[in-house]
Amino acid sequence: GAGVSQSPRYKVAKRGQDVALRCDPISGHVSLFWYQQALGQGPEFLTYFQNEAQLDKSGLPSDRFFAERPEGSVSTLKIQRTQQEDSAVYLCASSLGRSGGAQYNEQFFGPGTRLTVL
Amino acid sequence: AQSVSQHNHHVILSEAASLELGCNYSYGGTVNLFWYVQYPGQHLQLLLKYFSGDPLVKGIKGFEAEFIKSKFSFNLRKPSVQWSDTAEYFCAVRNGGATNKLIFGTGTLLAVQP
């Protein structure tokens, strides 16, 4: 497909379980972002990759959150020992991210994974 | 820290009414500004963007926004809304430096009544 895809679309976890959320960015996009969107709020930045390098993880709320992009394409966001406050929609976005102009930084969003922690 | 404020959380309009959604940001340097839209059951889509140049930006579906630097504002407008414009609208800012992350407002839920 031409867009960003995410899986699963919905995930229900019991408190304390570990979850893994997957993001497939648009082919050729260098930059990849994860955002968390709580109910009634705007997306909040979690972390940013440029190829396989995680350049900014300042938004990760705790050390239970971990993200990787080992080959510079697919990314996984892992949440360990989930808590109820982790319930949210997790959005992935990608951009061309190449130098040469701000237009390469336009971010394209996936449909999100809605995580519910019981 | 940067922040984005959207003043209207919930707006209800009749079809053909004019729309203006407010957006103010806190960052004082070079910024890129965006409006994203999320239709019911769909993912976030870019409506329009401002990087530089003409401060009046035209986007898809008849939307436009005006960047007023002195007011730190980037308000979204549409002269005549349609029922299909019912959606949630998010303003976002990206600073002009090395950070590529977007800072989003809390969103405005627009309901257009036929």
Side-chain angles (χ1 to χ4, degrees):
Chain A
V4 178
S5 61
Q6 293 185 245
S7 61
R9 292 291 311 278
Y10 303 90
K11 177 69 179 177
V12 179
K14 291 183 180 178
R15 191 173 58 179
Q17 281 185 330
D18 297 348
V19 298
L21 312 180
R22 177 188 168 106
C23 171
D24 282 86
I26 293 172
S27 178
H29 278 197
V30 168
S31 297
L32 185 145
F33 305 81
W34 284 98
Y35 293 86
Q36 180 191 59
Q37 186 175 14
L39 190 64
Q41 300 296 314
E44 291 192 3
F45 171 79
L46 293 176
T47 187
Y48 159 59
F49 290 86
Q50 190 171 82
N51 293 307
E52 69 279 2
Q54 189 174 20
L55 299 186
D56 187 345
K57 53 181 181 180
S58 61
L60 295 177
S62 77
D63 59 7
R64 296 186 295 103
F65 286 70
F66 172 76
E68 60 183 5
R69 194 186 185 197
E71 297 178 358
S73 55
V74 171
S75 177
T76 303
L77 176 67
K78 298 179 180 178
I79 309 173
Q80 297 177 323
R81 304 181 304 282
T82 53
Q83 304 294 315
Q84 284 189 320
E85 62 263 27
D86 299 335
S87 296
V89 176
Y90 291 85
L91 298 170
C92 177
S94 70
S95 71
L96 276 170
R98 299 194 185 108
S99 61
Q103 64 271 23
Y104 294 110
N105 290 309
E106 179 179 335
Q107 294 182 27
F108 296 85
F109 283 81
T113 295
R114 182 177 296 277
L115 172 65
T116 303
V117 182
L118 303 176
Chain B
Q2 293 178 67
S3 65
V4 176
S5 297
Q6 291 185 243
H7 318 297
N8 316 100
H9 297 292
H10 204 159
V11 173
I12 302 174
L13 295 173
S14 298
E15 275 194 315
S18 64
L19 170 72
E20 180 159 4
L21 302 181
C23 173
N24 286 89
Y25 61 95
S26 64
Y27 186 68
T30 302
V31 291
N32 305 142
L33 295 156
F34 306 82
W35 275 97
Y36 280 84
V37 60
Q38 190 166 26
Y39 297 104
Q42 297 188 26
H43 59 276
L44 277 169
Q45 301 172 41
L46 184 67
L47 201 54
L48 49 77
K49 61 193 177 191
Y50 172 79
F51 288 138
S52 63
D54 188 345
L56 185 61
V57 179
K58 296 202 183 290
I60 60 172
K61 303 185 180 185
F63 286 91
E64 65 179 30
E66 185 175 11
F67 169 54
I68 303 179
K69 189 174 181 179
S70 61
K71 294 184 178 180
F72 298 91
S73 70
F74 190 57
N75 292 354
L76 180 70
R77 299 195 294 249
K78 186 171 183 178
S80 175
V81 295
Q82 301 173 314
W83 176 79
S84 58
D85 293 325
T86 294
E88 190 156 21
Y89 293 81
F90 294 94
C91 181
V93 63
R94 172 190 168 271
N95 73 23
T99 303
N100 288 305
K101 64 185 179 187
L102 293 174
I103 309 295
F104 284 87
T106 53
T108 297
L109 194 59
L110 172 66
V112 180
Q113 297 175 331

